[in-house]
Amino acid sequence: MASSVSTFYSSTFKKKSISRSSSISRSSSISFPVRSRSHFDIFQTYSIVSASSSEVSKNNNIITSKKGGLLEKSSEALWARYLDWLYQHKELGLYIDVSRVGFTDEFFKEMEVKFETAFKAMEDLEKGSIANPDEGRMVGHYWLRNSKLSPNSFLRMQIENTLESISKFSDDVISGKILSPAGRFTQILSVGIGGSALGPQFVAEALAPDNPPLKIRFIDNTDPAGIDHQIAQLGPELATTLVIVISKSGGTPETRNGLLEVQKAFREAGLDFSKQGVAITQENSLLDNTARIERWVARFPMFDWVGGRTSVMSAVGLLPAALQGINIREMLDGASLMDEANRSTVVKNNPAALLALCWYWASDGVGSKDMVVLPYKDSLLLFSRYLQQLVMESLGKEFDLDGNRVNQGLAVYGNKGSTDQHAYIQQLREGVHNFFATFIEVLRDRPPGHDWELEPGVTCGDYLFGMLQGTRSALYSNDRESITVTVQEVTPRSVGGMIALYERAVGIYASLININAYHQPGVEAGKKAAGEVLALQKRVLTVLNEASCKDPVEPLTLDEVADRCHSPEEIEMIYKIIAHMEANDRAIIAEGSCGSPRSIKVYLGECIVDDMYD
Ligand SMILES: O=P(O)(O)OC[C@H]1O[C@](O)(CO)[C@@H](O)[C@@H]1O
């Protein structure tokens, strides 16, 4: 994957042609626009001459490459490209600069046919086609911010009613009309994972005011210590905590465990969970039924046609946001405005299509490069984490829509600038060339009236700005491509717009590479395997229990446990199960140590007469 400047710009463009042929071999049915030397017209104004200097310097129009090539670049040409391709969404105050991505006019033309197909697919999707064929589902997250688009009046009513009930419920909680048994609610504890956590987490970090009406915490894992930490942090405020349990399926184990742990904490504190619990889930799911039977405070729907990773504009993201005093109507408006722009069938005027075009170019349409997302704003720290699920769970697929094995994807990582400058940007600048960057720039540094110059003519925000621009230039001068997305401020409207931008870019890109972006079959494999481990653990416990109930107790070797479980092939997993139980005081090592698996003999600390592990 690594390439040098000289190979990248060489007359044969070896690196690119290697990627192309390897991509084509993945699936004979996919045809990729092929780059050739003449395609690199963005770099036409470069000429390659030899250079002995190993310094990278920019002297007027000269860039000296470390890799031995001297690239002459007219800054006028680069500026012209910047102006030519700059996308502006006037109402959202959002800009997209793709000038530092090297796609050529010829590549663009070749892609246009693919884009026509992608635009048609998006149009059909918005009209209610079964865009997720494997699950036989419609894909309707765009309707959430413009209910008039929904394919029938029933769905439209569902969306509008839900929105109204979210607003009313949050107003009532904030105003104190709805109270906990101990008084006004002061905290939210959100229990959910994946798409049922990442959106609400990102929105809270980006938009919650410094003193929100209700503060939010998250349990997004089945890590007991992590759960204990969240509950401990709430302390006596558990009595005024609104617990929002979020799960589309209503049966995700991590979320169920989080709920059971929280309910236990409530019991131990003498609190009635049902007076403080809220469920967001599909109608009639296990969670929905539990909440209904136990008469929780409220239940909000998740719709079959909204996927977890695109659910942030449903009750999943909107209810927690509204409870924190975030203007959810503005978020929806921002998303809706962006959706409108993304319906343009002119690629240049379609911001999501522009991103998809760059992704395709930069990663050869096969994910050959990773996308590093660098927001230069602390409040956007979780954007890359949010995008990681949105992009990778959507695009990371083994098969395309025609059943060809393609092993597609686009890896996403990043935290924030300029912090990451002092972590991994060294490698981005000079190391393995396996990425392209996306800078997220926020023009407004801080609210008006608070700025000051920490040295003559320079504010703290100017440094942040300088770091972004400097990193962008430094990467570009070493042939590292980048996109820059600029917003005026971090507001509910701009955040809604950015979420919609990336949702649509993923949808369009998925069409370009002919995959289903809306299912996640790969996740099931891990879940199934986890279930098998827990089933094996129960068999191990049964075997150990029988031996531990003997008089005298019969400590067993690993081989004996595996034989008695009728699973000799699972001996390694049995060892791991025993080591984990031993570390948690649930099994006793009679002989040997866990460091030498063959040496151990194990039994249980107590004999359970009615074997409950069966
Ligand atoms: O909302 P649920 O059904 O609990 O699922 C949580 C997450 O789990 C996944 O299904 C992956 O297992 C995600 O797609 C989803 O966002």
Side-chain angles (χ1 to χ4, degrees):
M1 229 95 73
S3 77
S4 67
V5 173
S6 50
T7 51
F8 191 78
Y9 294 107
S10 72
S11 56
T12 54
F13 295 98
K14 201 168 155 210
K15 175 258 158 194
K16 292 297 167 188
S17 49
I18 287 168
S19 312
R20 289 297 175 209
S21 56
S22 66
S23 69
I24 287 164
S25 70
R26 291 171 189 226
S27 160
S28 52
S29 71
I30 303 178
S31 64
F32 295 94
V34 178
R35 297 182 207 176
S36 66
R37 190 188 196 309
S38 61
H39 292 177
F40 283 73
D41 37 341
I42 180 195
F43 300 118
Q44 269 169 6
T45 47
Y46 285 111
S47 64
I48 301 170
V49 294
S50 62
S52 55
S53 167
S54 66
E55 286 301 300
V56 175
S57 63
K58 212 171 177 185
N59 183 356
N60 294 328
N61 297 331
I62 308 289
I63 299 169
T64 310
S65 163
K66 273 196 158 180
K67 309 267 171 60
L70 183 65
L71 308 173
E72 276 184 65
K73 174 74 183 80
S74 141
S75 59
E76 289 82 10
L78 204 48
W79 174 231
R81 181 175 171 84
Y82 179 87
L83 294 177
D84 189 21
W85 281 97
L86 184 66
Y87 172 82
Q88 182 195 9
H89 193 302
K90 284 207 177 94
E91 275 171 282
L92 284 174
L94 177 145
Y95 299 82
I96 301 177
D97 159 31
V98 296
S99 65
R100 266 53 172 186
V101 180
F103 60 84
T104 63
D105 290 348
E106 196 174 342
F107 171 81
F108 179 61
K109 274 198 199 89
E110 287 174 34
M111 289 297 291
E112 272 184 322
V113 183
K114 280 176 174 283
F115 273 105
E116 273 171 31
T117 312
F119 292 146
K120 178 74 179 66
M122 296 310 297
E123 191 186 323
D124 291 347
L125 177 149
E126 286 198 328
K127 283 187 184 149
S129 69
I130 301 298
N132 179 356
D134 304 65
E135 295 176 356
R137 284 179 164 141
M138 298 189 287
V139 174
H141 48 276
Y142 301 105
W143 312 330
L144 296 171
R145 46 258 194 168
N146 186 352
S147 60
K148 292 185 200 77
L149 287 177
S150 46
N152 60 57
S153 53
F154 176 69
L155 296 188
R156 182 176 170 173
M157 205 180 63
Q158 274 191 318
I159 296 166
E160 287 169 5
N161 290 348
T162 305
L163 198 51
E164 250 171 57
S165 51
I166 289 169
S167 299
K168 179 156 182 357
F169 180 80
S170 51
D171 285 350
D172 289 351
V173 168
I174 291 170
S175 67
K177 207 163 161 190
I178 296 177
L179 293 168
S180 75
R184 261 179 204 265
F185 283 105
T186 58
Q187 298 273 348
I188 304 163
L189 183 57
S190 174
V191 184
I193 196 166
S196 292
L198 289 159
Q201 285 168 334
F202 166 52
V203 168
E205 186 82 13
L207 297 172
D210 290 342
N211 291 302
L214 280 85
K215 292 199 181 97
I216 194 162
R217 302 190 151 273
F218 293 92
I219 290 178
D220 65 353
N221 200 355
T222 184
D223 172 12
I227 295 170
D228 291 348
H229 175 69
Q230 294 303 330
I231 293 170
Q233 292 284 307
L234 286 168
E237 274 191 276
L238 191 65
T240 53
T241 296
L242 189 69
V243 182
I244 307 181
V245 186
I246 309 177
S247 173
K248 178 177 174 181
S249 61
T252 301
E254 291 93 329
T255 305
R256 182 206 70 144
N257 296 356
L259 168 62
L260 294 179
E261 292 275 356
V262 173
Q263 285 179 321
K264 174 171 171 283
F266 268 71
R267 279 196 302 278
E268 286 171 0
L271 301 169
D272 179 353
F273 180 85
S274 68
K275 302 277 190 304
Q276 296 176 232
V278 172
I280 303 178
T281 184
Q282 284 195 113
E283 210 179 339
N284 291 326
S285 72
L286 194 60
L287 173 60
D288 189 43
N289 292 336
T290 306
R292 194 182 57 245
I293 292 163
E294 293 179 2
R295 296 169 169 273
W296 292 12
V297 184
R299 293 180 291 133
F300 294 88
M302 275 190 85
F303 306 119
D304 174 66
W305 36 268
V306 175
R309 54 189 172 274
T310 51
S311 65
V312 64
M313 307 265 171
S314 73
V316 171
L318 297 182
L319 181 67
L323 288 164
Q324 291 167 87
I326 295 166
N327 188 333
I328 58 172
R329 300 272 170 184
E330 279 285 295
M331 249 175 81
L332 292 167
D333 282 353
S336 172
L337 283 170
M338 179 54 75
D339 289 343
E340 269 172 42
N342 287 335
R343 281 185 202 109
S344 170
T345 53
V346 178
V347 175
K348 229 174 176 176
N349 299 335
N350 181 324
L354 269 180
L355 290 188
L357 177 79
C358 294
W359 298 357
Y360 199 105
W361 167 268
S363 76
D364 298 319
V366 293
S368 64
K369 290 217 167 98
D370 302 342
M371 175 158 72
V372 181
V373 180
L374 282 166
Y376 277 65
K377 187 54 68 185
D378 286 2
S379 64
L380 297 181
L381 169 73
L382 297 183
F383 194 40
S384 40
R385 197 164 162 199
Y386 171 77
L387 290 181
Q388 202 167 53
Q389 187 206 20
L390 176 65
V391 174
M392 294 179 74
E393 202 168 65
S394 301
L395 302 180
K397 299 293 156 68
E398 186 166 15
F399 297 102
D400 70 9
L401 284 165
D402 300 320
N404 302 301
R405 188 183 300 275
V406 289
N407 297 111
Q408 268 288 359
L410 184 61
V412 179
Y413 66 93
N415 299 298
K416 63 173 178 174
S418 68
T419 312
D420 290 356
Q421 183 110 15
H422 302 274
Y424 58 79
I425 285 185
Q426 162 64 30
Q427 176 170 318
L428 298 193
R429 174 62 171 72
E430 296 180 347
V432 57
H433 188 173
N434 60 355
F435 75 96
F436 64 99
T438 300
F439 295 102
I440 311 285
E441 179 186 35
V442 179
L443 292 179
R444 167 66 75 182
D445 291 332
R446 55 166 36 131
H450 294 270
D451 234 348
W452 66 288
E453 293 181 355
L454 40 74
E455 57 190 71
V458 181
T459 66
C460 192
D462 293 340
Y463 268 92
L464 191 65
F465 165 79
M467 294 295 180
L468 188 162
Q469 300 305 334
T471 304
R472 173 176 173 268
S473 299
L475 290 182
Y476 183 69
S477 70
N478 212 16
D479 312 318
R480 274 63 171 156
E481 294 173 305
S482 68
I483 301 165
T484 303
V485 177
T486 302
V487 292
Q488 304 296 314
E489 281 182 80
V490 179
T491 62
R493 186 173 265 244
S494 65
V495 166
M498 282 198 290
I499 290 170
L501 171 67
Y502 278 88
E503 282 178 350
R504 192 68 155 222
V506 166
I508 292 174
Y509 186 81
S511 284
L512 297 180
I513 61 172
N514 192 37
I515 55 117
N516 179 356
Y518 308 107
H519 66 164
Q520 51 285 326
V523 181
E524 298 312 314
K527 282 187 192 167
K528 193 166 161 263
E532 285 162 9
V533 172
L534 295 178
L536 178 62
Q537 176 167 314
K538 287 187 181 171
R539 298 212 304 277
V540 169
L541 277 165
T542 300
V543 163
L544 287 178
N545 189 51
E546 279 164 11
S548 304
C549 287
K550 287 194 176 152
D551 191 11
V553 171
E554 182 192 10
L556 299 176
T557 65
L558 284 179
D559 286 304
E560 286 165 341
V561 177
D563 280 348
R564 292 184 194 189
C565 285
H566 308 293
S567 301
E569 73 288 354
E570 294 284 3
I571 190 155
E572 182 182 318
M573 189 57 74
I574 289 170
Y575 162 66
K576 286 172 186 281
I577 287 168
I578 288 172
H580 178 243
M581 291 199 303
E582 196 264 344
N584 288 284
D585 311 320
R586 288 155 61 209
I588 292 170
I589 304 288
E591 277 176 38
S593 79
C594 276
S596 322
R598 293 233 167 262
S599 71
I600 62 173
K601 283 198 161 189
V602 64
Y603 66 100
L604 294 185
E606 58 177 337
C607 150
I608 297 175
V609 181
D610 290 327
D611 190 348
M612 61 200 227
Y613 307 119
D614 272 336

